[in-house]
DNA sequence: GTCTATAATTTGATAGAC
DNA sequence: GTCTATCAAATTATAGAC
């Protein structure tokens, strides 16, 4: 069994991600994070001087974790159909792991966009671009002869569907809403 | 030409809705709203004693405005297909009117849910339930013989699609993303 | 790297005059 | 109904001891 190092910096990022996905960027404070981790707020500032630094670190770690979990969209060993299922499954597991209380970080950034520090907003753009790009590559493999615009549209459709499904499932506290909607992403 | 009364209360709600849909519930202050309307923050409190009152008023006015614009889903004069187009068009116009900077209020409430006052969170639940219920009624007319679960699923699918499309279009500052995704809502 | 202490600002909210 | 003035609390952030 592999033990992953949980340094204080990582614990802070994990706590901030959870808070951000439950409450939004303006919905938590350095003191909240400090209490979650079991330290004082001044110590949080030692690791991430400003809230912008913390938010940007959370968002880029989030994107990296997702992209690492997805892997190479052109990996010949994996079928495009399986990769799309993998994509849907990552959203499903994120919802379950957060007990239906967390939305995708991309959605959070979208909703607060105009009030976010520059680097956090930019990380949101990168998240959506990475996600859409990965899906596009997978769909291109599945239908190589399709029009590029149609492939792009299909990628955005899947992304939008999962984003929306997560929002609704969270608000109505009905994880089955996610399942019902996600099924149509595979069509 | 009909002149709509723009009382101070209404102006406050309009300003707060805009701020909330651009920045989130925690992304604006009473002073921001006061400046938008051209009064002082104490005067805003006169109309809406607490921020919870203001947020709940914004959300219920928002839901009411949407449902009024949608009208009776069982109106025999209007074809179900046209009603779905009307629904999509309301999202489209909301995005255009806000110059691509505003998301649906339902999505905002979803993202900040755990940090919102009770009445604001509840208004978000009501928004999604009203929306899904209206769509369900329209789709039932279009396919009366369909399984109720399938009709419900289709309604949630359209709702999720438009929610997600709005988030992505706002973040990437690409209104065409909305068009590309919304097209598949009509299928 | 963590702590105590505190600065500087903002925020939601109230009292009371006009 | 709007204003000035103000409060109490919370927030981000820093200084400096250990």
């Amino acid at each position: 069994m592999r033990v992953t190092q949980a340094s204080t910096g990582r614990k802070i990022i994990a706590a901030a991600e959870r808070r951000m996905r439950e409450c939004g960027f303006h919905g938590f404070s350095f003191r909240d994070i400090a209490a979650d981790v079991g330290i004082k707020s001044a110590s949080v500032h030692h690791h991430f001087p400003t809230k912008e630094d913390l938010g940007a670190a959370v968002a880029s770690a989030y994107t990296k974790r997702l992209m690492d979990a997805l892997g190479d969209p052109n990996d010949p060993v994996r079928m495009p159909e399986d990769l799309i299922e993998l994509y849907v499954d990552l959203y499903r597991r994120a919802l379950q792991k957060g007990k239906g209380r967390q939305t995708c970080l991309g959605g959070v950034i979208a909703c607060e966009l105009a009030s976010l520090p520059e680097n956090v907003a930019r990380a949101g753009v990168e998240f959506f671009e990475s996600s859409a790009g990965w899906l596009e590559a997978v769909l291109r493999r599945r239908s190589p002869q399709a029009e590029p615009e149609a492939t792009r549209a299909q990628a955005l459709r899947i992304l939008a569907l999962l984003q929306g499904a997560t929002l609704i499932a969270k608000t109505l506290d009905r994880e089955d809403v996610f399942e019902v909607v996600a099924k149509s992403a595979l069509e």
Side-chain angles (χ1 to χ4, degrees), chain A residues 68-123:
Chain A
D68 284 351
L70 292 173
D72 179 8
N74 293 309
D75 178 358
V77 174
R78 302 183 298 169
M79 301 289 286
E81 290 76 13
D82 295 339
L83 288 176
I84 296 171
E85 277 213 58
L86 168 65
Y87 190 83
V88 173
D89 202 49
L90 287 179
Y91 272 82
R92 174 184 295 115
R93 271 149 51 186
L95 195 66
Q96 290 170 344
K97 197 184 155 199
K99 292 170 187 170
R101 287 195 286 258
Q102 298 180 26
T103 44
C104 169
L105 195 69
V108 173
I109 292 176
C111 286
E112 298 182 289
L113 201 63
S115 61
L116 293 180
E118 200 184 338
N119 286 333
V120 182
R122 181 164 35 232

Side-chain angles (χ1 to χ4, degrees), chain A residues 137-152:
Chain A
V138 169
L139 294 168
R140 201 178 307 125
R141 277 180 66 203
R142 192 177 64 170
S143 308
Q145 81 296 351
E147 294 279 348
E149 298 81 26
T151 305
R152 175 76 179 169

Side-chain angles (χ1 to χ4, degrees), chain A residues 87-93 95 161-163 165-166 168-169 174-183:
Chain A
Y87 190 83
V88 173
D89 202 49
L90 287 179
Y91 272 82
R92 174 184 295 115
R93 271 149 51 186
L95 195 66
L161 209 53
L162 295 176
Q163 288 290 326
T166 307
I168 302 166
R174 293 276 301 267
E175 287 190 37
D176 60 302
V177 165
F178 178 85
E179 293 305 326
V180 148
V181 173
K183 207 165 13 176

